[in-house]
């Protein structure tokens, strides 16, 4: 049985070919079998030897190369691919595929494969914006081809504009997402909150908490990789934005409340990992509050409990809360489960070492109306997948 995943990379002619070398190297580090097909033009920009050395596989450069096996080479690669990535992709290869042309090894392999095809264009802005190229892209999207949109910036030709190939890091993240074999959340719309909120006191001070956003982001990434349509509502964090999901950036608990309510309608599952401030200053001072007395009192007002409100109008949705506790962890979490009308609550003792705020691990208990499962310390990625597994067990 073949377990190792295979990515076939089609490299076409453009300055961004050097980035394709980086893509090969990153995929190899993830123990993925990489096979490279270079067009004639690509070979003008980098040598076949470089790709062979990095992929540790023969590189296909021509239709009439002698195959090493009895399979016809383009069919063999087309069948073997779990994902076929074209990076960089020129206007030429996009036009060929869009018109069903198969006149060299790469275009023939694309026509013959049943694997998802990911295209990362790189070209001059005027070419990219040319209506014919755009029509070809739209045509291919309508057939299910994946596109990783190019970035704006200074291009090799000196022009400034759209057409720069996405970074190898992001392209590899997209490929990995497609390679994830378990798509058990496909078609589910999941709304996730993450991070802290900030409640301004004056222009330079605010009330917040220690949430880094790591737990909520891990759930968003795992849900995305398992095929869900993810909307992440995030308070201010220093984490890199998650690609290929919908992200709504918010600041205060009031902003988070509005964003959750705006996105609730289409959600099948809501997971609230955010640490929302329970109180805000009663009055905001538009100028910096000056130091005067030895002590001062800051009057606060209670914020809306977003989860409580979502629970009260949940309909057929599955609602999952978190409980950040320092004592009586399970009992306090169980109270929140029933009070907020939740299907599940994830309790974490935020005083435990390696658990809770601003660390990469967590020690969680998953509580439903039927049972409680307490886990040993897990990475937040592992915790996220356990939470998603348990959500899938909830009957509706
Ligand atoms: O972000 P990290 O650094 O990775 O840390 C992760 C975490 C500790 C923040 C996370 O695991 C966690 O426990 N999140 C919930 C934090 C929290 O606010 O817990 P709580 O017990 O105070 O609130 C209970 C639930 O009600 C939470 O789902 C919370 O999102 C929600 N809530 C709370 C207050 C409020 N005004 N509105 C809410 O919706």
């Amino acid at each position: 049985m073949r377990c190792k995943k295979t990515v076939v990379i089609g490299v076409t002619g453009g300055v961004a070919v050097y980035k394709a070398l980086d893509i090969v190297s990153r995929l190899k580090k993830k123990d993925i079998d990489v096979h490279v097909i270079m067009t004639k033009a690509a070979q003008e920009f980098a040598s076949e030897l470089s790709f062979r050395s990095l992929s540790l596989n023969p590189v296909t450069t021509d239709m009439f190369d002698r195959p090493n096996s009895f399979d016809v080479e383009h069919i063999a690669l087309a069948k073997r691919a779990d994902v076929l990535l074209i990076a960089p992709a020129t206007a030429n290869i996009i036009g060929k595929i869009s018109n069903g042309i198969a006149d060299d090894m790469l275009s023939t392999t694309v026509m013959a494969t049943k694997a998802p095809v990911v295209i990362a264009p790189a070209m001059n802005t005027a070419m990219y914006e040319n209506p014919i190229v755009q029509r070809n892209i739209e045509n291919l999207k309508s057939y299910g081809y994946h596109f990783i949109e190019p970035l704006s910036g200074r291009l090799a030709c000196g022009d400034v504009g759209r057409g720069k190939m996405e970074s190898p890091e992001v392209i590899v993240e997209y490929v990995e997402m497609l390679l994830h074999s378990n798509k058990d959340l496909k078609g589910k719309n999941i709304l996730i909150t993450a991070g802290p909120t900030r409640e301004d006191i004056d222009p330079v001070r605010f009330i917040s908490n220690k949430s880094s956003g790591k737990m909520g982001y891990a759930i968003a990434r795992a849900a995305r990789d398992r095929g869900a349509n993810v909307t992440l509502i995030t308070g201010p964090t220093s984490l890199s934005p998650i690609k290929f999901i919908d992200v709504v950036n918010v600041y205060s608990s009031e902003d988070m409340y509005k964003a959750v309510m705006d996105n609730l309608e289409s959600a099948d599952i809501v997971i609230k990992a955010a640490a929302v401030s329970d109180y805000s200053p009663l009055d905001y001072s538009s100028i910096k509050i000056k130091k005067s007395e030895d002590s001062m009192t800051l009057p606060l007002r209670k914020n809306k409990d977003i989860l409580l409100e979502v629970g009260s109008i949940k309909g057929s949705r599955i609602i999952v809360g978190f409980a950040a506790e320092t004592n009586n962890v399970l009992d306090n979490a169980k109270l929140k489960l029933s009070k907020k009308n939740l299907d599940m609550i994830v309790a974490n003792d935020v005083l435990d070492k390696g658990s809770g705020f601003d660390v990469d691990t967590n020690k969680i208990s998953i509580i439903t109306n039927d049972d409680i499962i307490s886990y040993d310390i897990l990475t937040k990625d592992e915790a996220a997948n356990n939470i998603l597994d348990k959500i899938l067990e909830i009957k509706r």
Side-chain angles (χ1 to χ4, degrees), residues 211-213 215 272-274 304 307 322 336 340 348 358 380:
S211 171
S212 63
M215 189 65 245
K272 288 217 73 258
K304 288 180 191 125
L307 189 56
F322 267 72
K336 286 177 184 167
K340 300 194 184 193
N348 39 195
D358 203 15
K380 283 187 174 164

Side-chain angles (χ1 to χ4, degrees), residues 193-196 209-217 239 253 256 271-279 303-308 320-325 336 340 342 345-348 350 355-359 361-362 364 380:
T193 68
N209 57 65
K210 296 179 178 174
S211 171
S212 63
K214 287 180 179 179
M215 189 65 245
Y217 276 51
L239 302 177
S253 70
M256 188 168 276
I271 307 175
K272 288 217 73 258
V276 185
S277 299
D278 289 322
Y279 291 89
N303 290 330
K304 288 180 191 125
D305 190 321
I306 309 169
L307 189 56
L308 182 73
V320 179
F322 267 72
E325 305 294 341
K336 286 177 184 167
K340 300 194 184 193
L342 310 177
I345 193 152
V346 181
N348 39 195
V350 292
S355 179
F357 293 107
D358 203 15
V359 283
T361 49
N362 210 357
I364 59 165
K380 283 187 174 164

Side-chain angles (χ1 to χ4, degrees), residues 124-193:
N124 161 275
T125 307
M127 284 175 84
Y128 184 68
E129 288 172 353
N130 185 306
I132 301 171
V133 173
Q134 285 302 315
R135 187 198 58 200
N136 287 336
I137 290 175
E138 289 312 313
N139 183 36
L140 289 174
K141 280 184 182 168
S142 74
Y143 285 107
Y145 285 74
H146 300 248
F147 274 83
I148 302 182
E149 306 296 335
L151 306 169
S152 291
R154 191 175 181 79
L155 307 175
C157 56
D159 287 0
V160 176
R162 198 125 177 256
K164 208 173 143 76
M165 191 170 86
E166 236 316 347
S167 69
E169 194 184 357
V170 170
I171 292 174
V172 167
E173 190 177 345
Y174 194 92
V175 169
E176 274 194 287
M177 182 178 88
L178 290 179
L179 286 175
H180 202 286
S181 45
N182 188 1
K183 297 286 181 208
D184 52 3
L185 289 168
K186 196 166 172 54
K188 297 273 182 231
N189 296 323
I190 309 194
L191 181 60
I192 299 164
T193 68

